[in-house]
Amino acid sequence: MANTAQSKKRARQNEKRAAVNKSRRSRIRTFLRKVEEAISSGDKSAANAALKAVQPELMRGVSK
């Protein structure tokens, strides 16, 4: 357990970052799943649209 003020603050910050990272990771996985489903269904236009939607999310996730 955190004892000093600095370590308590760091623990709070880590919890916040973990929540943000979890939601970002979930969002990226959802977009990727939509792309894979469109590819497996054979709908080329839907796959292209899903790929265009996932690209910015991937780049944002990589940069964070």
Side-chain angles (χ1 to χ4, degrees), residues 17-60:
R17 290 305 315 161
V20 169
N21 289 337
K22 183 178 180 181
S23 69
R24 183 174 289 126
R25 187 169 48 244
S26 174
R27 184 173 168 86
I28 290 171
R29 287 178 178 164
T30 300
F31 274 94
L32 286 174
R33 182 178 46 78
K34 289 179 182 178
V35 171
E36 291 172 355
E37 287 175 356
I39 291 172
S40 66
S41 71
D43 189 2
K44 190 172 183 179
S45 62
N48 281 334
L51 183 64
K52 286 182 190 247
V54 77
Q55 284 176 336
E57 290 296 325
L58 284 173
M59 293 301 116
R60 192 174 301 122

